[in-house]
Amino acid sequence: MTSQEEINQQQGLLNVHRGTLSILLRQRAQFTGPYTPPSIEHGILEARANIRRVKKILRGLGILVADLPDDEDDSSSSSSQIQTPSSNATMSPPSTTPISKSPPQTNQKRIRQRDMAWWAGIASIVVLVIVLGLGLSLALLKLINQPSLPVPTESSSSASIQTPLSAISSTHSPVSSPELIMPIKSVEPIDMSRSSAQCPSDDYEFVAQIPPQPSGPDDVQFGEGLVAMLHDSFLYVAHTTQVPTIQKLTTSGKVAVDWKVRSGIGEGEFGYAQAVAVSSDGSVYVADGVQNRIQKLDMSSNTFRVWADGSSGAGNFNDPRSIAIDSHGNVYIADTGNNRIVKFSSDGKFQNSWGSAGSSKGQFAQPWGISVDTKENVVYVADTENNRIQKFDNEGNYQGEWGARGTGDGQFMQPRGVSVDTQGNVYVADSSNHRILKFTSTGTCLAKWGDTSKEGNGTGQFKSPQTVSVGTDSLIYVADSGNKRIQIFRPRQ
């Protein structure tokens, strides 16, 4: 590799890491309290470390890199901060002029304040538990002194169980939302109590991976942020190497089409391609988490054009991370930073949206994955930071949910990808548990594979899987993003 090629490569990596840091900083800004998810804080630290590392390499190559702080929000200005000196110019050391920003101690002070607030909250919870325990003890003593109550019959017991459920349904209030957001109608909740049933862990077996090991010079190689979607026996992938990359692959991993997109803000250019979806007519949609817009492939010119952004009637997007398309061509977008789902018609007209920030029914905390059961017209959403899967009809009416934070069967740690097979079964990429789970449409756990105790790069192991797709031949394709590969599985014979 020549010196200029290495310089170009490092400049591209610097832009990618700054774009990643910009996304993470915007995500952190969504949290107004003292708590920020550890995954975001860890990602920010890692992105800053990557920026410092690349700057150091560029300086070693003779490139003048302005000493911007590593948490610079405006990643789009990064290209203007890198200057290649002319051959006759005398190279001077980087400027050491102080930058008028808060000293590093500000972040440390904020972290200490956050920690103090966290411990204060824990202390309050402990006191509350003690008080409730004393109250419960007094109540039990009173009950012991009460005369014995008659034992209810089976019919009366059944009625007592059903009454609260119907009451919950009838008193469920719509989510408070801005004018654009569609209120959620009351429905009878689905019984999700079976989601914690014991899941078999040996129902699926490994078939192959892309790229194969060992890989050859003609095999595709993936970069960061790998996502994959299966359509008509082809895999559509998006990832980032030096620039955003969008490709169509055969299921054996050979590149059928590489759209050769570029970094930038123009049409056909991307900041960070982080979701891809394909409609029944072959139209390809890509979500750009940096430029906050959706681009669609123009079939006549084979180039991407802006399809939905802040001018589309839905308001501005904020870090859209997933796209799903139903049998009528309607497009559903997980507008992650705005904690909502947005629906468009096939011709790009805004239909409605639903959701707001929170943990109640129909609310979201960083919704990441979305999938549509085209037979039942049901929409499943991976509500990532609430560690649950929510179920809606195709107009946004709440149908049910399952999941909780944890490593047990039917529990999640930041679920990100969700997919539905032809039988209506739901597959979830349980990202921070490094595993895949399979459920019925009502939340009963059917199968699982992967290791919740640790990440791994061996056969059948995962490191932060992002998406999962199911073929009509029952093959399962998992974008094992942290390992930069796609693993393929099938039901064990």
Side-chain angles (χ1 to χ4, degrees):
M1 180 182 295
T2 65
S3 296
Q4 187 58 46
E5 288 175 340
E6 187 173 359
I7 289 170
N8 292 340
Q9 181 184 42
Q10 295 301 326
Q11 289 176 345
L13 287 174
L14 183 59
N15 289 334
V16 168
H17 293 316
R18 279 177 167 158
T20 302
L21 179 59
S22 176
I23 293 173
L24 291 168
L25 289 171
R26 290 202 305 272
Q27 292 175 5
R28 186 171 68 180
Q30 301 293 321
F31 295 87
T32 57
Y35 173 76
T36 303
S39 60
I40 293 179
E41 292 291 351
H42 176 75
I44 290 173
L45 292 174
E46 184 176 358
R48 286 172 174 165
N50 287 334
I51 290 172
R52 289 192 293 271
R53 176 178 56 80
V54 175
K55 282 182 177 181
K56 183 176 180 181
I57 293 173
L58 284 169
R59 291 190 184 103
L61 294 171
I63 303 303
L64 301 180
V65 183
D67 287 322
L68 287 177
D70 292 329
D71 59 346
E72 176 64 59
D73 284 322
D74 186 8
S75 62
S76 65
S77 66
S78 62
S79 60
S80 65
Q81 308 301 329
I82 302 175
Q83 302 172 0
T84 304
S86 64
S87 58
N88 298 323
T90 301
M91 186 179 299
S92 58
S95 172
T96 58
T97 303
I99 297 173
S100 58
K101 296 196 80 155
S102 300
Q105 287 79 2
T106 302
N107 287 334
Q108 297 176 3
K109 181 178 179 181
R110 184 177 62 80
I111 293 173
R112 286 196 299 271
Q113 291 175 343
R114 182 190 65 189
D115 291 343
M116 291 175 64
W118 187 84
W119 283 111
I122 292 296
S124 300
I125 293 173
V126 171
V127 172
L128 180 60
V129 169
I130 293 173
V131 172
L132 290 176
L134 290 174
L136 181 61
S137 299
L138 292 174
L140 288 174
L141 287 174
K142 290 182 180 180
L143 286 174
I144 291 172
N145 294 326
Q146 290 288 336
S148 299
L149 295 174
V151 178
T153 63
E154 182 177 352
S155 59
S156 64
S157 175
S158 174
S160 67
I161 293 173
Q162 294 176 0
T163 301
L165 287 175
S166 60
I168 292 172
S169 174
S170 61
T171 59
H172 172 61
S173 58
V175 178
S176 177
S177 56
E179 183 177 353
L180 283 175
I181 297 178
M182 176 180 178
I184 298 172
K185 298 179 182 179
S186 301
V187 296
E188 190 70 21
I190 298 172
D191 179 13
M192 299 297 187
S193 60
R194 296 177 295 167
S195 64
S196 60
Q198 187 67 29
C199 261
S201 58
D202 59 351
D203 281 2
Y204 283 81
E205 61 183 359
F206 174 81
V207 177
Q209 76 171 48
I210 304 172
Q213 290 297 325
S215 60
D218 296 331
D219 292 312
V220 66
Q221 300 295 325
F222 298 122
E224 299 176 358
L226 172 65
V227 294
M229 186 266 184
L230 182 70
H231 177 77
D232 281 350
S233 300
F234 285 95
L235 285 165
Y236 293 79
V237 300
H239 56 101
T240 298
T241 50
Q242 296 183 37
V243 295
T245 304
I246 305 167
Q247 297 167 312
K248 177 181 178 180
L249 311 177
T250 66
T251 51
S252 62
K254 303 302 180 184
V255 177
V257 181
D258 188 334
W259 280 284
K260 302 290 185 182
V261 298
R262 299 173 297 175
S263 295
I265 62 175
E267 285 201 319
E269 298 177 336
F270 294 85
Y272 197 88
Q274 57 185 13
V276 60
V278 185
S279 63
S280 57
D281 65 357
S283 298
V284 181
Y285 299 80
V286 178
D288 188 335
V290 171
Q291 306 300 346
N292 293 310
R293 62 188 183 184
I294 308 300
Q295 295 202 61
K296 179 182 179 181
L297 182 66
D298 185 332
M299 305 297 284
S300 61
S301 62
N302 202 36
T303 58
F304 285 92
R305 298 189 181 279
V306 175
W307 184 76
D309 56 11
S311 63
S312 59
N316 292 323
F317 293 118
N318 184 0
D319 194 16
R321 294 188 186 174
S322 188
I323 308 172
I325 304 171
D326 65 20
S327 57
H328 301 290
N330 296 310
V331 179
Y332 303 78
I333 298 166
D335 189 8
T336 305
N338 284 327
N339 294 296
R340 64 174 182 167
I341 305 301
V342 187
K343 179 181 178 181
F344 292 88
S345 63
S346 59
D347 57 358
K349 293 181 179 178
F350 170 67
Q351 299 293 301
N352 66 282
S353 63
W354 67 89
S356 60
S359 58
S360 299
K361 297 174 181 178
Q363 291 185 311
F364 302 109
Q366 303 287 299
W368 195 302
I370 186 170
S371 185
V372 179
D373 183 341
T374 56
K375 291 183 178 179
E376 301 296 330
N377 289 322
V378 172
V379 180
Y380 294 92
V381 179
D383 189 4
T384 302
E385 295 300 330
N386 282 327
N387 295 295
R388 63 184 177 181
I389 302 298
Q390 292 201 69
K391 181 178 180 180
F392 303 87
D393 68 16
N394 60 359
E395 295 300 329
N397 299 311
Y398 176 84
Q399 298 291 306
E401 66 183 69
W402 69 88
R405 181 181 176 86
T407 59
D409 296 340
Q411 295 180 323
F412 305 110
M413 290 286 285
Q414 295 183 315
R416 293 181 178 175
V418 61
S419 183
V420 185
D421 66 17
T422 56
Q423 305 301 315
N425 298 310
V426 181
Y427 299 76
V428 179
D430 188 10
S431 186
S432 293
N433 276 332
H434 312 294
R435 66 177 178 178
I436 304 299
L437 293 155
K438 177 184 178 181
F439 300 90
T440 66
S441 60
T442 55
T444 300
C445 192
L446 299 176
K448 63 182 179 183
W449 62 100
D451 189 349
T452 59
S453 63
K454 63 181 184 303
E455 63 190 38
N457 58 10
T459 297
Q461 293 182 312
F462 304 105
K463 182 179 179 182
S464 302
Q466 297 292 304
T467 60
V468 55
S469 291
V470 189
T472 55
D473 54 2
S474 298
L475 290 179
I476 313 296
Y477 298 81
V478 179
D480 186 9
S481 184
N483 287 319
K484 298 180 181 179
R485 65 182 179 180
I486 296 173
Q487 292 196 71
I488 307 171
F489 300 86
R490 68 185 174 196
R492 191 177 297 277
Q493 303 299 319

